[in-house]
Amino acid sequence: MSVAFTKENDRDGTEANLQDRPISPHPNLVTPEGLALIEAALEAARTAVTAAKDAGEDATGLAFARASRDFRYYTARRASAQLMDPPPGDGRVHFGSRVTFDRQDGRRQTFRIVGEDEAEPSKGTVSYVSPVARALMGKGVGDAAVVGDGEVEIVTIG
């Protein structure tokens, strides 16, 4: 039968052919909290794979495919994780620093610079490869940095 006459949701096994999650080309730098998050996600994926198998799902099942994809991703991320030392406290912005800065429009923002897997800007963390983190790295209190289309001034580093 021609593919034109099938429904997208017909089970022919192809729905389980999920693409692997992309692995960043950057070094996998992590804080202790980031490493714990990766390890927890790896364990959750391992549990999900086991649960899918126990439920009788084979390799063509979507739940099994998702769990397997996540397991492969977090296995690779755990293997490549480079646990970083805390920032040295030398008054400069480093990986792991919490930086507060003022924007030209009067907003004050604080972000902690962390690894890619633990970055969540809405919760105050940004990846060390993000534009804002790259602009702030190596700077000190009182220094200005260009972030986006504006300038920011660093107020505190912790």
Side-chain angles (χ1 to χ4, degrees):
M1 176 187 320
S2 168
V3 173
F5 296 105
T6 63
K7 296 178 190 171
E8 280 188 44
N9 61 355
D10 281 350
R11 283 190 64 101
D12 62 2
T14 59
E15 70 272 17
N17 292 330
L18 300 176
Q19 294 288 327
D20 275 340
R21 294 177 65 174
I23 302 285
S24 172
H26 302 287
N28 186 14
L29 308 182
V30 298
T31 64
E33 299 86 0
L35 184 59
L37 288 171
I38 290 171
E39 289 174 343
L42 177 59
E43 187 55 36
R46 180 180 330 216
T47 300
V49 167
T50 301
K53 284 181 183 177
D54 290 348
E57 192 163 318
D58 64 12
T60 63
L62 192 54
F64 181 82
R66 283 183 179 152
S68 296
R69 175 187 62 185
D70 288 349
F71 181 75
R72 287 188 304 275
Y73 176 81
Y74 286 111
T75 297
R77 295 303 278 173
R78 177 60 185 98
S80 66
Q82 299 175 35
L83 183 60
M84 299 299 290
D85 290 329
D90 62 358
R92 298 273 168 218
V93 178
H94 298 279
F95 182 91
S97 294
R98 184 172 309 282
V99 185
T100 301
F101 53 89
D102 289 335
R103 291 188 175 270
Q104 288 176 320
D105 64 7
R107 289 182 297 154
R108 178 168 281 188
Q109 291 184 295
T110 301
F111 289 111
R112 182 169 181 227
I113 299 172
V114 297
E116 291 177 281
D117 290 318
E118 65 184 302
E120 205 167 331
S122 66
K123 293 187 178 179
T125 55
V126 293
S127 166
Y128 79 100
V129 298
S130 69
V132 67
R134 288 191 319 235
L136 297 173
M137 290 287 211
K139 304 248 190 259
V141 172
D143 287 348
V146 176
V147 174
D149 60 354
E151 198 171 89
V152 300
E153 182 182 340
I154 298 174
V155 178
T156 63
I157 301 170

